[in-house]
Amino acid sequence: MGTGAQVIHDVVGIGFGPSNLSLATALEEHRTNVPARPLTAAFFERQPSFGWHRNMLLPSTTMQVSFLKDLATFRNPSSRFSFVSYLHASGRLADFVNTHTFFPTRQEFHQYLEWVEASFTDRVSYDSEVVGLALPPDAASGLARYLQVEVRDRGGSGTRLVNARNVVVSTGLVPRMPVGVDRDERVWHSSEFLDRFRQVDPHTLKRVAVVGAGQSAAEITRFFHDTLPDAQVFAIVPSYGYSVADSTPFANQVFDPDAVDDYFYGTNRTKDAFWQYHKNTNYSVVDDDVIRDLHRRVYDEDVRGSRRLHFLDLTRVSDVKRAGNETRVVLESLLDTDSQDLDVDVLVCATGYDSMDPSALLGDLDRYCLRDASGRHQVGRDYRLRTAPPLSCGIYLQGGTEHTHGLSSSLLSNIAVRSGEIADSIAQRRAEDEPGTA
Ligand code: FDA
Ligand code: NAP
């Protein structure tokens, strides 16, 4: 284990997806505002280069959030890191406006994110995975003013230590498989989809199945149907096909920055109401145009009398048996107690994600992090974990705060504002420690 001895960064960001990229822009704008003593930052990302859910960059897929909810605009409408600035720099502003859309393709949004990232290459390390956090050796004698972040660089030997006054954990969603089902070369999770798909000869795929009734499942089902014209495509759904994602104007208020206060300061009853009435803005739901497109395909195939897109409604996957190249999926009907088998060449589990949990990274430090009555981490309004001595430095979360801050926690909707609030909190706490540095 090497040690990067003396330097102590104001901020170390763990993960460099959109959330911490947005934080980089907020810190940069803070640097412009307080040039005398800018907050210093270093980010560590385990991927070899910037990438935002690359394995789901399927043709024609569009954003599920307005382009105005980019990395910066809601925090600072005149930011040079906005999507509009990107369009202007790319010479496409007029043409984009001519498309009359709020929802660019995911491909274009990815290009926007890469364009912003190009301004921060001096403070991000790729191929660098953070494997743990620890108190410095002298912390036992008093309050710990900084943390040691343990980083493993791909191709390097061992790990190195980086010192941070504040850590911002933003490691993203964690893929979830059906209970008892393991991934292998024929059983994939949607998060690895394109990587896996490129490794197989598409001509060998005669029967493919996609499990789940969310946006990922619908997009992969459509992709299979487009890309494999001779294959039978099965959509295994626990419902009647797909249900629509509610993005109507009143419901969309659940993602407004003000809704974070309503949720955070609300009672348990308030929080229950958010989930009861608005879960269908995000989970297990699909954009209207994709639903109608897929339904149309099924109907057209029926009219032609040659069905190859099959919806197995009210059905869950309960097991997968592998024997050589055979993949036998055990289907459980929700109509009765029957189960039946389906043999496929590939099964894609678009079965969702668990939210970010910092416990593994915290390791031993977790015992200084306070928990609520349900055993969940206590988090302040400024997204900082509530901690007990000797841990006094800041550990902030971008993600994993649905229980405290509500539905937008794992989404892009509020990242511009959230990053600004985290940057403000870090600057404010430094000013209290070192007057004159706000
Ligand atoms: P994200 O997962 O993007 O980034 C986390 C990063 O941390 C990754 O790059 C990962 O490699 C890295 N990392 C993890 N552990 C690490 C470690 N120990 N050390 C170093 N690096 C580590 N939301 C929305 O509002 N609108 C939308 O249109 C979409 N679209 C969408 C499409 C798809 C296919 C999915 C799966 C999800 C969405 N989402 C979404 C939700 C999604 O959570 C959101 O778009 C962002 O990815 C959240 O950004 P983060 O930076 O928080 O996580
Ligand atoms: P999701 O919305 O959580 O959907 C997972 C689905 O899998 C649910 O319908 C779930 O049903 C089902 N499922 C789980 N286990 C099952 C089993 N054993 N058998 C049958 N079905 C099972 O996950 P997602 O579709 O990956 O979406 C996650 C996030 O990514 C969302 O925020 C979404 O908006 C976003 N996303 C965005 C885009 C885009 O921007 N274009 C694309 C893809 C995803 P139960 O809930 O009943 O278990």
Side-chain angles (χ1 to χ4, degrees):
M1 189 185 290
T3 169
Q6 309 315 334
V7 178
I8 305 180
H9 298 284
D10 287 314
V11 184
V12 161
I14 306 177
F16 204 53
S19 297
N20 269 347
L21 182 55
S22 177
L23 178 67
T25 67
L27 293 170
E28 184 62 20
E29 285 167 1
H30 184 271
R31 174 199 292 263
T32 315
N33 294 338
V34 190
R37 173 72 169 87
L39 289 164
T40 58
F43 296 90
F44 296 90
E45 167 58 53
R46 68 182 174 191
Q47 295 188 86
S49 60
F50 182 84
W52 174 60
H53 300 300
R54 276 186 191 274
N55 285 321
M56 283 295 291
L57 282 182
L58 304 174
S60 336
T61 52
T62 53
M63 294 301 294
Q64 295 199 295
V65 73
S66 160
F67 70 84
L68 290 170
K69 292 187 175 175
D70 58 23
L71 301 173
T73 299
F74 267 47
R75 178 184 72 245
N76 173 13
S78 59
S79 171
R80 69 184 174 93
F81 300 110
S82 70
F83 187 76
V84 170
S85 297
Y86 154 76
L87 287 173
H88 187 260
S90 314
R92 285 205 305 273
L93 183 55
D95 263 351
F96 181 81
V97 172
N98 291 337
T99 67
H100 283 214
T101 188
F102 262 126
F103 306 102
T105 61
R106 293 196 54 238
Q107 194 72 51
E108 185 172 27
F109 203 76
H110 200 283
Q111 286 176 18
Y112 155 65
L113 296 174
E114 289 174 305
W115 175 81
V116 176
E117 186 271 350
S119 294
F120 298 102
T121 47
D122 61 338
R123 60 208 85 161
V124 54
S125 306
Y126 289 103
D127 272 337
S128 298
E129 180 173 13
V130 172
V131 292
L133 302 174
L135 291 174
D138 58 354
S141 55
L143 282 180
R145 294 286 178 203
Y146 71 95
L147 287 175
Q148 293 187 319
V149 180
E150 190 176 354
V151 181
R152 182 185 296 131
D153 299 305
R154 193 187 306 249
S157 59
T159 57
R160 62 187 162 116
L161 294 177
V162 177
N163 300 326
R165 285 190 189 85
N166 299 280
V167 167
V168 183
V169 185
S170 184
T171 50
L173 295 164
V174 182
R176 182 172 57 220
M177 293 291 284
V179 178
V181 176
D182 294 325
R183 302 191 209 184
D184 63 26
E185 69 280 4
R186 293 282 163 173
V187 180
W188 313 336
H189 186 267
S190 54
S191 57
E192 55 184 345
F193 179 68
L194 279 176
D195 235 12
R196 290 290 196 175
F197 184 74
R198 290 185 192 115
Q199 287 167 35
V200 292
D201 175 358
H203 298 103
T204 63
L205 301 179
K206 300 296 179 206
R207 290 166 65 83
V208 294
V210 184
V211 197
Q215 185 71 20
S216 299
E219 289 181 3
I220 293 171
T221 300
R222 181 176 62 175
F223 176 84
F224 271 150
H225 195 254
D226 284 338
T227 320
L228 305 173
D230 299 323
Q232 300 293 312
V233 179
F234 297 89
I236 305 167
V237 284
S239 40
Y240 279 104
Y242 307 119
S243 295
V244 73
D246 187 348
S247 56
T248 49
F250 292 120
N252 220 48
Q253 290 172 335
V254 77
F255 300 119
D256 289 355
D258 289 350
V260 175
D261 281 334
D262 294 337
Y263 194 94
F264 187 84
Y265 297 110
T267 61
N268 285 341
R269 214 165 147 226
T270 323
K271 293 179 169 65
D272 286 347
F274 269 69
W275 292 106
Q276 186 184 342
Y277 293 110
H278 298 297
K279 195 168 183 230
N280 69 342
T281 52
N282 185 46
Y283 289 107
S284 210
V285 286
V286 178
D287 283 349
D288 185 77
D289 57 330
V290 183
I291 295 179
R292 289 182 193 285
D293 177 9
L294 286 168
H295 184 265
R296 183 88 228 165
R297 294 176 190 216
V298 170
Y299 188 79
D300 287 349
E301 287 182 357
D302 275 348
V303 171
R304 288 200 306 273
S306 63
R307 238 339 237 287
R308 67 179 191 90
L309 176 53
H310 310 276
F311 275 79
L312 307 182
D313 291 335
L314 301 172
T315 304
R316 299 188 74 85
V317 167
S318 59
D319 199 4
V320 177
K321 295 172 188 155
R322 287 297 312 275
N325 274 346
E326 299 283 296
T327 303
R328 180 155 294 172
V329 185
V330 182
L331 304 176
E332 189 183 273
S333 169
L334 301 179
L335 287 171
D336 45 42
T337 53
D338 287 357
S339 68
Q340 64 178 91
D341 293 344
L342 177 74
D343 290 341
V344 293
D345 300 314
V346 154
L347 175 74
V348 183
C349 296
T351 42
Y353 295 80
D354 290 324
S355 55
M356 188 183 92
D357 181 354
S359 306
L361 277 178
L362 288 168
D364 260 6
L365 288 188
D366 208 356
R367 63 194 160 117
Y368 305 118
C369 299
L370 307 182
R371 303 260 179 174
D372 67 15
S374 307
R376 299 168 303 191
H377 281 120
Q378 290 188 28
V379 189
R381 176 61 184 82
D382 59 357
Y383 301 94
R384 183 171 166 250
L385 283 176
R386 294 206 168 111
T387 57
L391 187 56
S392 72
C393 29
I395 302 175
Y396 294 82
L397 303 183
Q398 299 222 66
T401 58
E402 279 193 337
H403 62 296
T404 47
H405 293 69
L407 261 161
S408 57
S409 168
S410 70
L411 301 175
L412 301 177
S413 326
N414 196 42
I415 57 174
V417 173
R418 181 175 68 192
S419 296
E421 289 170 342
I422 291 174
D424 287 348
S425 169
I426 289 170
Q428 176 67 34
R429 282 166 38 81
R430 187 184 67 181
E432 285 160 15
D433 281 355
E434 304 168 34
T437 58

